Amino acid sequence: MSTQELRKERIDRGIKVRSDGLYALMSLRELSYLTLPRFILIAGMISLPFLMPGMYWQRVISIVCIYAVLALSFDFLSHYVGLVSLGGAFFIGTGGYVAGILNTYYGVPPVLTVPLAAAIGGIFCTLMLLPCLPLKGVYFAIVTLMYPLFMARIIEAFDIFGGTDGIVGIDSFSSAFVEQYFVVCMVLIFLFGLRRFVTTDRGLIFTAIMDNDQAVKASGINITKYKALAVFIASSMGCMAGACLTHIYMWSGISQFALDFSILPIAATVIGGAGTLVGPILGCLILVPVSELLRDFGTLRIVFYASILVGFILFRSDGIMVFIQRKYEQFERWTKI
Amino acid sequence: MNPEINEDMTKPILQMNKMSKSFGGVQALKDVSFDVFPGDVLGIIGPNGSGKTTIVNCITGFVKPTSGRVYFKGKDITGKQPHKVADLGVTRTFQIMRPYYSLPAYKNLVIPLFSPRAKRTGGWRGGGRLGNRQTIAIDILEEIGFERDSYIPFKKTSTLPTGYLKRLELARCLALKPEIIICDEVFSGLSMSEIASMVPLIQRLQDEGITIVMIEHRLRELFQVANRVMVLNFGQKLIEGTPTEVMADEKVKEAYFGSEEVEEVMTYA
Ligand SMILES: Nc1ncnc2c1ncn2[C@@H]1O[C@H](COP(=O)(O)OP(=O)(O)OP(=O)(O)O)[C@@H](O)[C@H]1O
Ligand SMILES: [Mg+2]
């Protein structure tokens, strides 16, 4: 057959399934089309600890999950609320210290410190960021970047909470198994929870604030209240991750306010696909292990990182996830004319 | 009719008292006072830059006046935050339309329907209870001229033409079950036929007991609906009166209109 009798046809499975609505559920093929990606993600995340060759790499998976939660919170704040936050380090540090203090000073077990750190840390971070909520774009970003430095210097200068040595002797999770599954489940719950939340009517208000805050005000809605709610959600996620980190290393110290926690989630979001929520997790799954492999190169890692990031921004600025999604939903085939 | 609105037709529902506003060196408003009575359609006209939008911003809290006060039903609302003013039922449209471009058209209305005021009042035509937001949103869109059973309400807002966006501005006000709607140039940028279909809509809202303030450059259409007109020039009030009185005034003729246009408009007033 010559090419003249053939025509390239592009089919969008995503649109087809969505427009079929309920009927999609009647065909096994369409049903599996819809559920397969979720299944792969969940099964993949859950089996990850098993697939790792040893203790060291299992620990890396825990760290991946910590960063994944941070990246999720960054993606939510920046692409669903319109607040560009560099506060990862602030959230991790706050959560880490709250968990450490509760555990060592008050003897609260890790089962309770983690949720408590999420709540107390979330409230603390929200209160600290409250005055900055009217700020937009880069100004909000700068303030969120200043706070971790501020906190670290205060702890250092006043020599509180163990000063530069940090808080030591914190309980770990009861076993490596508990540790890994706790963080893996945390990522999955936050991911699906947020994906659901942003499509509800309340979640829509955040998108509206990002689109046009003046119109939201004119609709009789207090935007400061909603921005504070969004910051609370994002910061308590970060604080929860910080609390886990503290229990994993059995230590909390001022290096938890390190800027890595602010920068890496953003890089992961860019690579994975901003605004997709899944993408940032994918990005962390790539970036964190790569950075472990490159540990031998010391600070040269940064060069490598920066190159990946610049490469992605220049050549694939919508990220891996958007690319995969397009490939999955649309396929091309030749048809006879 | 809404009993709340008609409790006293003789007391002004909205009062502006010696309002001034300056932006740095620019005096946008200077001692402007006026009253709006329940059921009125007050037209505000004036050349470009005469301070019309600034009046709207001062009333609705988007801009803090330098001096002067605004009263709604006798209560001082000067300097209140925009969402609090909207919560009282004093709603506005934006001259430069402000839809949520990334949402479908009907979801634009889910936002105001989520406000405390909509929850309290039930939204447009809601009897104190709020039903399904999406259904109400589609109902409002139909009422203001989005064709029902068409796909337009479901289209992404960024793909809609200006006419629909202007209606969406009005729809946002309606979703709040407003007492006052302040329209900032809802006719501008529309075709003659689109305007012709908007005029009855405004009249219908007036019949339902909503007080309307209309800022407009299209005098002919404005004079069909307005029962009183105020003329602004360089931030100052020139005159206020019925359309006929305003047209007959010498100062207005000098300051604002070319004389032929006055003749033309007079035949409609
Ligand atoms: N935020 C602002 N900052 C500085 N100057 C402003 C601001 N808003 C309005 N002005 C100035 O105030 C004056 C009145 O502006 P306003 O927008 O109220 O006019 P308008 O009557 O609505 O004009 P138009 O018919 O063009 O809409 C103008 O000179 C304008 O430049
Ligand atoms: Mg204007």
Side-chain angles (χ1 to χ4, degrees), chain A residues 37 93 130 149 250 257 288 312 318:
Chain A
L130 213 51
L149 303 174
M250 295 155 63
F257 286 110
V288 178
F312 261 95
D318 42 4

Side-chain angles (χ1 to χ4, degrees), chain A residues 14-15 55-56 89 119 148 162 188 203 217 222 231 240 251 299 336:
Chain A
I15 291 178
M55 281 288 285
Y56 176 77
L188 289 176
K217 285 184 196 166
N222 185 349
V231 169
M240 197 159 181
W251 173 78
T299 43
K336 232 166 113 180

Side-chain angles (χ1 to χ4, degrees), chain A residues 135-171:
Chain A
L135 300 181
K136 276 193 196 137
V138 70
Y139 299 102
F140 185 79
I142 289 172
V143 175
T144 53
L145 197 58
M146 297 312 291
Y147 271 136
L149 303 174
F150 169 87
M151 299 294 289
R153 292 297 91 80
I154 284 193
I155 290 173
E156 208 176 3
F158 293 95
D159 203 19
I160 41 174
F161 309 137
T164 43
D165 295 335
I167 305 174
V168 289
I170 296 171
D171 292 341

Side-chain angles (χ1 to χ4, degrees), chain A residues 8-195:
Chain A
K8 210 171 195 183
E9 186 181 57
R10 177 175 282 174
I11 295 174
D12 194 310
R13 258 189 298 197
I15 291 178
K16 183 174 181 305
V17 170
R18 264 175 254 134
S19 55
D20 282 354
L22 197 63
Y23 296 105
L25 301 181
M26 288 162 127
S27 134
L28 200 62
R29 216 180 119 168
E30 309 275 297
L31 194 66
S32 61
Y33 166 77
L34 280 175
T35 49
L36 199 63
R38 287 172 184 76
F39 178 76
I40 292 177
L41 182 76
I42 295 174
M45 288 294 285
I46 287 181
S47 55
L48 260 184
F50 283 118
L51 299 176
M52 290 300 125
M55 281 288 285
Y56 176 77
W57 283 99
Q58 285 178 349
R59 178 54 54 83
V60 172
I61 291 304
S62 303
I63 305 303
V64 167
C65 291
I66 304 257
Y67 276 111
V69 171
L70 281 180
L72 256 181
S73 103
F74 170 79
D75 199 25
F76 168 66
L77 266 193
S78 60
H79 296 101
Y80 290 88
V81 190
L83 291 171
V84 180
S85 140
L86 297 174
F90 182 43
F91 304 155
I92 284 279
T94 308
Y97 267 96
V98 171
I101 292 163
L102 285 176
N103 185 253
T104 47
Y105 297 2
Y106 301 99
V108 185
V111 210
L112 289 177
T113 55
V114 174
L116 278 176
I120 299 171
I123 291 170
F124 176 79
C125 293
T126 311
L127 287 179
M128 294 285 280
L129 289 172
L130 213 51
C132 325
L133 289 184
L135 300 181
K136 276 193 196 137
V138 70
Y139 299 102
F140 185 79
I142 289 172
V143 175
T144 53
L145 197 58
M146 297 312 291
Y147 271 136
L149 303 174
F150 169 87
M151 299 294 289
R153 292 297 91 80
I154 284 193
I155 290 173
E156 208 176 3
F158 293 95
D159 203 19
I160 41 174
F161 309 137
T164 43
D165 295 335
I167 305 174
V168 289
I170 296 171
D171 292 341
S172 66
F173 285 103
S174 51
S175 71
F177 181 81
V178 172
E179 169 195 312
Q180 272 148 31
Y181 280 98
F182 188 83
V183 287
V184 165
C185 291
M186 180 170 75
V187 172
L188 289 176
I189 289 172
F190 280 142
L191 169 65
F192 288 106
L194 275 185
R195 276 178 66 111

Side-chain angles (χ1 to χ4, degrees), chain B residues 55 66 76 164 207:
Chain B
I55 288 188
T66 318
D76 193 345
Y164 285 106
D207 288 343

Side-chain angles (χ1 to χ4, degrees), chain A residues 201 205 211-212 214 219 221, chain B residues 62 98 100-102 115 133:
Chain A
D201 287 355
I205 291 185
D211 258 19
N212 219 320
Q214 304 278 315
S219 305
I221 290 173
Chain B
F62 282 85
R98 293 185 171 279
Y100 310 116
Y101 284 112
S102 62
S115 66
R133 287 191 194 89

Side-chain angles (χ1 to χ4, degrees), chain A residues 220, chain B residues 59-61 72 77 79-91:
Chain B
I59 295 174
T60 51
F72 171 65
I77 58 164
K80 262 188 192 270
Q81 285 174 293
H83 71 266
K84 291 202 175 132
V85 178
D87 197 62
L88 293 170
V90 183
T91 61

